Amino acid sequence: MGRAVVTGAAGFLGSHLCDRLLAEGHEVVGIDNLVTGSISNIDHIRSEKFTFIKQDVTDYLFIRGGVDFVLHFASPASPVDYLALPIQTLKVGALGSHKTLGLAREKGARHLLASTSEVYGDPEIHPQPETYWGNVNPIGPRGVYDEAKRFAEAMSMAYQRYHKMETRIVRIFNTYGPRMRLEDGRVVPNFIGQALRGEPITVYGEGSQTRSFCFVTDLVDGIYRLLMSKETEPVNIGTEFELSILEFARLIIRLSDSSSEIVYKELPVDDPKTRRPDNTKAKTKLGWEPQVELEEGLARTINFFREKVK
Ligand code: UDP
């Protein structure tokens, strides 16, 4: 068992990752500046094996003692958040990756970067294999997230090649589950919040754009397998079950027994038209398969949001 540093520990993914690392018997140091994360996500972790440090990871990171793993999960992650925090998003992806790689190098630790399907931008290849280089608009509003993550991948590979460090890169596709922020603007909390309140469901564009949704515990399982594997190049983690946003809206209405109607709003700039991972690599190299069916995962997520909407 080892000692892991998790940045973004109080966020949606970071907190689930801490849960898994602790369950596997590791010691965890969680770091978060609480810009989009929340202490309530880690309140339940009361253990001598968990330490929390409130810090911005773009500043110098000082951690006392040995570290075996550094997992960089800090970043605004919803389009609404990163449009509101464009400079912080660029900084945490770029400077924060440099700091966490530097920490890992200092400690002789393995580094795992939370990258994203956004490195593929609005993809011209479908589904997206890891070998695809992407179609990203560097100067569009989403560029702050996409390019920061692309830079982070390049930085990670440079540390691997130049400093001979152990690095891992996970490309995370749309993920959902408990602890998402109701107000984060992403499609899952938006639609569920609207359905539970009986408000109109806001489909952007015609709703023909597609996404594939993965339940958070499945994603975290893929990440843990990658962390422990020998795979040094990026791996997609996401489900291959793809549906249109309009179909997704209808599914949320049905699963939450809602009487909400659907309304159509303007499609955000550079909104990807399709997105589905080719997850062959995760299957063959990590032995990973998603376990939670979409309807089951959504039912659990709707239950979580019911408490919040009250
Ligand atoms: N979307 C929508 N209504 C909403 C929020 C999002 O139709 O209230 C759409 C959005 O335009 C995108 C998809 O749902 O096509 C997924 O959006 P999200 O913000 O969750 O993340 P993305 O996959 O775009 O990074």
Side-chain angles (χ1 to χ4, degrees), residues 117 120-135 173 236 242 273-278:
S117 55
Y120 304 124
D122 189 5
E124 296 150 312
I125 289 184
H126 196 69
Q128 296 81 55
E130 290 86 349
T131 46
Y132 178 47
W133 292 353
N135 176 38
F173 283 67
N236 291 336
E242 178 185 9
K273 287 183 271 307
T274 56
R275 185 184 289 153
R276 168 159 60 100
D278 178 334

Side-chain angles (χ1 to χ4, degrees), residues 218 221-222 225 238-240 279 282-283 286-292:
D218 278 337
D221 185 52
R225 284 168 187 258
T239 69
E240 289 184 322
N279 64 20
K283 284 181 187 158
L286 309 179
W288 178 82
E289 289 265 13
Q291 304 295 321
V292 182

Side-chain angles (χ1 to χ4, degrees), residues 79 142 174 186-187 190-191 202 204 209 211 245 271 275:
R142 296 175 85 105
N174 292 66
R186 279 186 279 192
V187 69
N190 266 17
F191 282 6
T202 54
Y204 299 159
Q209 69 274 35
R211 296 292 186 271
I245 292 301
D271 197 286
R275 185 184 289 153

Side-chain angles (χ1 to χ4, degrees), residues 192-213:
I192 296 179
Q194 291 160 346
L196 293 178
R197 294 190 197 102
E199 292 169 359
I201 307 279
T202 54
V203 167
Y204 299 159
E206 292 170 4
S208 57
Q209 69 274 35
T210 66
R211 296 292 186 271
S212 319
F213 296 93

